[in-house]
Amino acid sequence: MDIAIPLFDRFTALDAIGPYEVLSRLPGARVRWVGLEARTYESDRGLRIAVDTTLEEVPAPEVLVVPGGMGTRTLVDDPRMLDWVRGVHATSTWTTSVCTGSLVLAAAGLLDGVRATTHWAALDLLGELGAVPVADERVVEVGKIVTAAGVSSGIDMALRLAAKIARPEVAQAIQLVIEYDPQPPFDTGSTAKAPREIVELVRSAALD
Amino acid sequence: MDIAIPLFDRFTALDAIGPYEVLSRLPGARVRWVGLEARTYESDRGLRIAVDTTLEEVPAPEVLVVPGGMGTRTLVDDPRMLDWVRGVHATSTWTTSVCTGSLVLAAAGLLDGVRATTHWAALDLLGELGAVPVADERVVEVGKIVTAAGVSSGIDMALRLAAKIARPEVAQAIQLVIEYDPQPPFDTGSTAKAPREIVELVRSAALD
């Protein structure tokens, strides 16, 4: 099971590492980190991940996971990235994204008229790129395309995917291995739940 | 707010990236990735993170986050790492760990007779190193020492910590930014909840 995760500058670390931590534990999984060039890519908060493999060296992974981050705003205009995504999708078993990674799928033309999600602050942008934005589902599955909402939702998406790729018992075991029994200290993880002033605090960009 | 996250070979990626994604968003936060040497460190599943800074270059961070992974089994015998952890703890505001990162705190002598947690499969080992292992709490706080359970629990721990370091509203806003509204597909994230056969599947080491 070949899994490809494309990286780029200004990716969001947890977008990529959440699904990685789950999917890399599937029996027989091989995760390939790929990039436009083989070099180190820096996340939006300064983490640097080394990438040895270029996009063209992994033309046909079975699973594609596109993470998000501010860097996607550049990627949506990058013909080489979009060509690669289209090519991968032609033969993939699963084409997936986390957070604003779905903007890249949309820019590649994969989401025209398709229900999909993204980070809550980017739903309008996703619509402008041709998708049908879904605001109230954390993971949206349409055929072989699976899009997840913001950042941490990639963990939930990957566990669902793991259950489809392997037996559900394997996904359940992976959930136990990563001790994913979440106990968030607050109930502010979505715009529907967070108080208005918290939403405004985030929208004011003081935090991101 | 200087935050140090030591890396080493065979760390578990999500142990480190969960808290990183939360704490790096605190206003004024500066996260330093540090290592015994300035080089690239490889996770237990092959992810490679670049580290520019040695332990000795960051002698007094305000927050220490020690991630876990199989590599901790070597670290607990590394005098340079243990000396650094002791030195950091002498002046830190918060000394924390995720997963088997607490084994390193224990080996450094910080947890003698102190309630602490770790990955569920390492609780006995934590006890052998002098701590009082706590099986049924996801985040254990004793004074300025905060230990989190396995892998994904670092997200919960970091949000709790963020609320103490900044205002609770800031932590709530960070939770919204990372859209942490978990919807795990199964209820198998702890040994208390997972069916016996899932626990056995993990213990048989087929998955880890």
Side-chain angles (χ1 to χ4, degrees), chain A residues 171-196:
Chain A
Q172 291 164 9
I174 292 172
Q175 187 174 333
L176 180 58
V177 169
I178 66 165
E179 213 160 340
Y180 188 48
D181 178 28
Q183 295 172 17
F186 309 108
D187 195 18
T188 61
S190 75
T191 52
K193 294 176 175 176
R196 177 178 299 269

Side-chain angles (χ1 to χ4, degrees), chain A residues 7 12-15 17-18 20-21 24-27 31 33 40 43-52 117-121 135 137-139 149-153 155-156 159-160 163 167-191 193-195 197-199 201-202 206-208, chain B residues 7 12-15 17-18 20-21 24-27 31 33 40 43-52 117-121 135 137-139 149-153 155-156 159-160 163 167-191 193-195 197-199 201-202 206-208:
Chain A
L7 282 194
T12 296
L14 186 56
D15 289 17
I17 300 301
Y20 166 76
E21 197 63 67
S24 66
R25 293 172 187 276
L26 282 168
V31 178
W33 297 91
T40 296
S43 84
D44 48 13
R45 329 294 295 181
L47 174 81
R48 294 190 301 116
I49 294 183
V51 171
D52 289 328
T117 195
T118 187
H119 191 281
W120 57 267
E137 293 175 37
R138 191 159 168 83
V139 179
V151 192
S152 62
S153 63
I155 301 172
D156 297 333
L159 284 167
R160 283 175 56 156
R167 293 174 298 134
E169 289 77 8
V170 171
Q172 291 164 9
I174 292 172
Q175 187 174 333
L176 180 58
V177 169
I178 66 165
E179 213 160 340
Y180 188 48
D181 178 28
Q183 295 172 17
F186 309 108
D187 195 18
T188 61
S190 75
T191 52
K193 294 176 175 176
E197 62 269 25
I198 298 297
V199 178
L201 183 61
V202 174
L207 284 157
D208 196 40
Chain B
L7 282 192
T12 296
L14 186 55
D15 289 18
I17 300 299
Y20 166 76
E21 197 64 67
S24 66
R25 292 172 187 275
L26 281 169
V31 178
W33 298 91
T40 297
S43 83
D44 48 14
R45 331 293 295 181
L47 174 80
R48 293 191 300 116
I49 295 183
V51 171
D52 290 329
T117 193
T118 188
H119 191 282
W120 56 267
E137 293 176 35
R138 190 158 170 83
V139 179
V151 192
S152 62
S153 63
I155 301 172
D156 297 334
L159 285 168
R160 281 175 56 156
R167 292 175 297 136
E169 290 77 8
V170 170
Q172 290 163 9
I174 292 173
Q175 187 174 333
L176 179 58
V177 169
I178 66 166
E179 213 159 340
Y180 188 49
D181 179 28
Q183 295 172 17
F186 309 108
D187 195 18
T188 60
S190 75
T191 51
K193 294 175 174 177
E197 62 268 25
I198 298 297
V199 179
L201 183 60
V202 174
L207 283 157
D208 194 42

Side-chain angles (χ1 to χ4, degrees), chain A residues 131-155:
Chain A
V132 179
V134 177
D136 56 355
E137 293 175 37
R138 191 159 168 83
V139 179
V140 176
E141 186 181 334
V142 177
K144 72 178 186 180
I145 298 179
V146 190
T147 54
V151 192
S152 62
S153 63
I155 301 172

Side-chain angles (χ1 to χ4, degrees), chain B residues 9-192:
Chain B
D9 286 322
R10 303 183 75 196
F11 69 99
T12 296
L14 186 55
D15 289 18
I17 300 299
Y20 166 76
E21 197 64 67
V22 171
L23 298 177
S24 66
R25 292 172 187 275
L26 281 169
R30 179 170 69 152
V31 178
R32 314 280 292 271
W33 298 91
V34 297
L36 285 162
E37 302 147 50
R39 63 167 173 90
T40 297
Y41 290 90
E42 184 165 329
S43 83
D44 48 14
R45 331 293 295 181
L47 174 80
R48 293 191 300 116
I49 295 183
V51 171
D52 290 329
T53 310
T54 62
L55 300 179
E56 288 77 8
E57 293 178 88
V58 186
E62 288 151 288
V63 180
L64 169 65
V65 182
V66 183
M70 284 308 295
T72 58
R73 309 306 190 274
T74 309
L75 285 192
V76 296
D77 292 320
D78 189 305
R80 220 179 110 209
M81 176 62 78
L82 301 184
D83 279 349
W84 179 77
V85 166
R86 272 187 292 267
V88 167
H89 181 63
T91 58
S92 70
T93 309
W94 296 101
T95 297
T96 78
S97 64
V98 180
C99 199
T100 49
S102 57
L103 301 180
V104 181
L105 301 188
L110 274 48
L111 301 180
D112 289 348
V114 175
R115 297 174 72 252
T117 193
T118 188
H119 191 282
W120 56 267
L123 284 163
D124 289 350
L125 192 47
L126 183 63
E128 289 165 21
L129 289 166
V132 180
V134 176
D136 57 354
E137 293 176 35
R138 190 158 170 83
V139 179
V140 177
E141 186 181 333
V142 177
K144 70 176 187 181
I145 298 179
V146 190
T147 54
V151 192
S152 62
S153 63
I155 301 172
D156 297 334
M157 188 266 283
L159 285 168
R160 281 175 56 156
L161 206 57
K164 291 169 185 286
I165 293 171
R167 292 175 297 136
E169 290 77 8
V170 170
Q172 290 163 9
I174 292 173
Q175 187 174 333
L176 179 58
V177 169
I178 66 166
E179 213 159 340
Y180 188 49
D181 179 28
Q183 295 172 17
F186 309 108
D187 195 18
T188 60
S190 75
T191 51

